[in-house]
Amino acid sequence: MNNITQRLERLRHEMRAESIDVIIFPGTDPHNSEYPAPHWQARQWLSGFTGSAGTVAVTLTEAALWTDSRYFLQASQQLEGTGITLMKEGLAGTPTVIQWISQKLSAYGGTDVAVDGMVMSYAEVTAMQRELRKLGGITVRTNYDAMRMLWKDRPAIPHGEIRIHPMEYAGESVADKIARIREVMRKRRCQAHITTDLMNIAWTMNLRGCDVAYTPIFVAFLYISDTEVHLFANGDSMTEEAAAQMRLAGVSVHPYGGFKAFLERHKEERILCDSNATCFSLYNIIAANAVDGASPVTAMKAIKNPAETEGFRQAMLRDGAAMVRFLRWLKPAVEAGGQTETSVSQKLAEIRSAHPMFRDLSFSTIAGYNAHSAIVHYSATAESDAELRPEGLILIDSGAQYADGTTDITRTIALGSLTDSMRRAYTLVLKANIALATLQFPDGTTGTQIDAIARSVMWREGMNYLHGTGHGVGAHLAVHEDPHSIRMDWNPTPLHAGMTVTDEPGLYVEGQFGIRTENTMLIIPGDETPFGRFLRMEPLTLCPIDTTPIVWDMMTTEEKEWLRNYHKRVVKALLPLLDDEEDRKWLVQYDE
């Protein structure tokens, strides 16, 4: 019996003692975070699945995990031998979590479902309650944290240093941000606004932390009224500069654990709060008088101001130079032998971290060789770490956190001879990337509407990819930033100038290879015509795109011209940052 099956059996023992028939672990935290701190990684601890998206449901005899297409291959491998069934979200015939629970409860007459109300949103829990109520007699318990009993060596709630994000990078004072939030509150006729989103809190307060891997945030809650601002965080972890910034902005700092009691004292107020982003246990306190709506901060931080935009540009320059040093090193190192997926990831991190502005990686580097590159969010382990040979493809998706910006880039590199299918797929992905990069579209268009522009190149060939084409990127914040995205699933958020978004189409052939080419883009004003205001996208990412796999006959004149101009810009921008003559020679070939 392995660790996972043992943990499931111990959980079922507790479920029987508590008269619980089904328990759900959504894989998030009290802040609805994509990447929760280790203290809240209960789903990962229980199931062994390490992907960022997934929900586990456990009955007294069965268990299942739901995740999206990015993690199908990874989940199938990590769940092997655990007794947990993989449910592939988005595919025909896959039941939802609620449908599956309904089937199981109906089969043996169970009536009690449990969730931890601190780690599932109010909207999710109430929707679940409505659906299960239709079955009759089924209750949803929201005050049960099974991990308190089971997870003996559970990590503590993080308590890392909180520092300022300087005005030269933030571009707007805390006071001015609060004033803008209060203006929205007045329009909504609210007395206060609360947000539990850690990115929104860090952005509003011009603070950064280290409580979550790869993302410079800190655990906190924020309350803003017409006259007061209360930040619930680990105040004793603040630097003196950060504490002084809070005092100057009139922000009162309280212990992180005091927020729930504070809400109880303010539950009669009209509070603007998002039921989709706030956990059930907190939102339920204020639900009677709450004004349900998205935090205004989410939309505000999506539009980058001039200082944030300049921070992105500078971060991309130094990151591009690091990538050139790495790419120039890569092929000779592979030819010399002894390199693996893990070793090249470590080399790239070493090169990036040499810069004094480097703070961390922006996510765990994905370095997938040949068949592993078909796993969209592949993570090498000691068992899977493949040795690289001078043949085939390696996909490297990586990024860094610099003091002034966040980077996200994917390059697929030919390490030697390729098959015709590899070359053809590589060229289709590049064409899709260029289709989006050269698109002009009306201001206010949604990402869903332009997603098809990239995919149409592949659709004509009967091919597709299941992940999104693009996501927002934070300004020295999360590498995945809401609210906008470019994807097939409907997202009504309009696109506007000042937003950052990735352009990352891909193609994946299971068991053979995967290809993705990704640049981070800045949406900028385009033409203004009698038909309205248009937008276009400018590449922020500056790094050569491998040209050796391209089937040039598949490329149009316009596509070739775009690639030539992009490489000219890359060479001009990065050459002054390279001291090594061999690095400079390697880069200049892309301007020939």
Side-chain angles (χ1 to χ4, degrees):
M1 185 179 290
N2 60 38
N3 283 341
I4 302 304
T5 54
Q6 288 176 345
R7 290 168 184 173
L8 287 170
E9 284 307 309
R10 286 164 50 203
L11 172 63
R12 289 179 174 124
H13 176 78
E14 294 297 328
M15 290 169 63
R16 292 184 186 97
E18 293 284 335
S19 298
I20 293 170
D21 298 298
V22 182
I23 189 166
I24 302 169
F25 298 90
T28 186
D29 62 9
H31 309 277
N32 199 37
S33 302
E34 180 181 13
Y35 299 108
H39 176 80
W40 290 291
Q41 291 176 3
R43 185 217 64 211
Q44 178 175 328
W45 180 84
L46 183 67
S47 68
F49 172 64
T50 59
S52 65
T55 298
V56 167
V58 181
T59 74
L60 295 174
T61 57
E62 299 177 66
L65 177 138
W66 286 256
T67 192
D68 61 48
S69 62
R70 295 172 296 169
Y71 298 108
F72 287 169
L73 291 177
Q74 177 183 334
S76 65
Q77 293 171 359
Q78 292 182 330
L79 297 180
E80 188 174 353
T82 65
I84 302 173
T85 302
L86 172 61
M87 297 291 179
K88 298 181 178 181
E89 288 181 337
L91 298 189
T94 300
T96 65
V97 177
I98 300 303
Q99 289 170 342
W100 186 84
I101 289 173
S102 299
Q103 293 168 5
K104 302 307 173 184
L105 291 177
S106 297
Y108 64 85
T111 60
D112 294 281
V113 177
V115 300
D116 179 358
M118 285 297 294
V119 297
M120 184 175 280
S121 77
Y122 181 85
E124 289 177 301
V125 172
T126 53
M128 181 191 308
Q129 289 171 330
R130 285 194 301 270
E131 289 298 312
L132 293 177
R133 194 177 297 126
K134 295 176 183 177
L135 298 178
I138 295 176
T139 60
V140 179
R141 179 174 171 180
T142 60
N143 63 349
Y144 183 60
D145 179 6
M147 293 299 110
R148 289 181 182 177
M149 295 292 294
L150 296 179
W151 198 352
K152 301 300 183 183
D153 56 349
R154 186 177 190 175
I157 293 174
H159 200 271
E161 181 182 80
I162 302 172
R163 65 185 188 278
I164 66 166
H165 187 54
M167 270 292 291
E168 62 180 302
Y169 306 142
E172 184 179 10
S173 70
V174 177
D176 287 345
K177 290 178 177 179
I178 290 172
R180 285 208 283 155
I181 294 167
R182 283 172 170 159
E183 181 60 30
V184 175
M185 287 163 44
R186 282 191 285 273
K187 289 179 180 178
R188 297 294 302 270
R189 298 180 181 178
C190 295
Q191 296 167 281
H193 168 54
I194 63 171
T195 180
T196 63
D197 184 291
L198 302 184
M199 268 63 70
N200 284 356
I201 295 169
W203 182 88
T204 303
M205 297 288 100
N206 285 348
L207 298 173
R208 297 295 186 267
C210 56
D211 285 350
V212 177
Y214 310 121
T215 308
I217 54 178
F218 53 96
V219 295
F221 301 103
L222 181 62
Y223 167 96
I224 300 173
S225 75
D226 286 335
T227 57
E228 300 176 350
V229 180
H230 296 273
L231 176 66
F232 292 80
N234 296 313
D236 57 347
S237 296
M238 284 188 178
T239 65
E240 181 50 43
E241 280 185 303
Q245 181 169 276
M246 295 298 93
R247 290 192 295 268
L248 182 64
V251 178
S252 300
V253 180
H254 311 272
Y256 174 77
F259 185 61
K260 193 170 185 179
F262 177 88
L263 272 190
E264 290 282 1
R265 297 193 297 271
H266 292 264
K267 62 185 178 182
E268 302 303 322
E269 298 175 1
R270 280 176 55 84
I271 298 178
L272 175 61
C273 189
D274 188 351
S275 66
N276 288 296
T278 308
C279 70
F280 177 88
S281 295
L282 295 180
Y283 192 95
N284 195 49
I285 295 171
I286 62 168
N289 297 301
V291 177
D292 192 1
S295 170
V297 180
T298 303
M300 289 175 185
K301 80 175 188 299
I303 307 294
K304 307 303 184 276
N305 62 43
E308 291 172 323
T309 300
E310 181 59 21
F312 269 108
R313 294 190 191 284
Q314 294 303 316
M316 297 292 176
L317 281 170
R318 69 179 70 94
D319 204 58
M323 285 294 297
V324 166
R325 295 183 184 104
F326 170 74
L327 292 172
R328 201 270 294 178
W329 166 87
L330 179 61
K331 287 186 182 179
V334 170
E335 290 168 359
Q339 297 298 328
T340 69
E341 295 165 329
T342 297
S343 72
V344 298
S345 296
Q346 292 170 343
K347 179 67 174 180
L348 180 53
E350 175 189 318
I351 293 172
R352 279 188 166 120
S353 64
H355 198 282
M357 294 285 279
F358 176 85
R359 296 294 179 265
D360 196 357
L361 300 180
S362 56
F363 56 97
S364 180
T365 298
I366 299 167
Y369 178 56
N370 282 349
H372 288 165
S373 63
I375 304 172
V376 178
H377 276 207
Y378 172 71
S379 179
T381 64
E383 295 74 28
S384 71
D385 190 19
E387 183 175 357
L388 307 183
R389 301 183 301 276
E391 61 183 37
L393 294 166
I394 185 169
L395 184 156
I396 301 178
D397 188 349
S398 66
Q401 293 284 2
Y402 297 97
D404 51 357
T406 303
T407 70
D408 186 4
I409 174 175
T410 307
R411 291 294 183 264
T412 307
I413 304 108
L415 296 180
S417 60
L418 304 176
T419 65
D420 288 344
S421 59
M422 287 177 175
R423 290 168 54 82
R424 183 171 181 81
Y426 184 94
T427 308
L428 286 172
V429 170
L430 178 58
K431 286 168 70 71
N433 181 281
I434 295 172
L436 203 55
T438 56
L439 180 66
Q440 184 167 244
F441 52 94
D443 187 9
T445 298
T446 70
T448 306
Q449 289 170 312
I450 66 173
D451 179 81
I453 301 300
R455 294 181 191 271
S456 63
V457 174
M458 301 170 185
W459 288 349
R460 286 194 291 269
E461 304 291 327
M463 300 178 180
N464 195 19
Y465 53 97
L466 297 180
H467 61 72
T469 304
H471 56 81
V473 180
H476 189 41
L477 277 173
V479 75
H480 295 148
E481 182 175 86
D482 290 337
H484 58 289
S485 61
I486 302 174
R487 59 188 310 110
M488 287 199 298
D489 301 337
W490 174 240
N491 183 342
T493 305
L495 300 177
H496 297 299
M499 289 179 166
T500 50
V501 67
T502 61
D503 175 3
E504 51 177 310
L507 278 176
Y508 311 92
V509 181
E510 184 175 349
Q512 297 183 42
F513 63 85
I515 295 158
R516 187 161 63 252
T517 299
E518 175 189 18
N519 283 343
T520 299
M521 316 290 283
L522 175 67
I523 300 177
I524 61 175
D527 296 335
E528 191 153 349
T529 78
F531 297 94
R533 184 183 298 114
F534 283 75
L535 304 172
R536 58 189 179 88
M537 289 190 275
E538 171 195 348
L540 289 170
T541 300
L542 297 172
C543 176
I545 296 169
D546 193 359
T547 57
T548 55
I550 297 174
V551 180
W552 289 104
D553 289 346
M554 292 174 60
M555 300 281 284
T556 67
T557 301
E558 292 77 12
E559 290 165 346
K560 293 175 185 176
E561 184 67 15
W562 181 90
L563 186 59
R564 186 160 43 246
N565 289 336
Y566 175 72
H567 279 150
K568 284 182 178 296
R569 181 182 170 192
V570 168
V571 173
K572 182 180 179 180
L574 299 185
L575 206 57
L577 304 181
L578 300 171
D579 298 324
D580 188 291
E581 189 59 31
E582 292 304 312
D583 291 338
R584 293 169 65 87
K585 286 180 181 178
W586 184 90
L587 177 61
V588 167
Q589 69 177 314
Y590 284 91
D591 194 20
E592 295 173 351

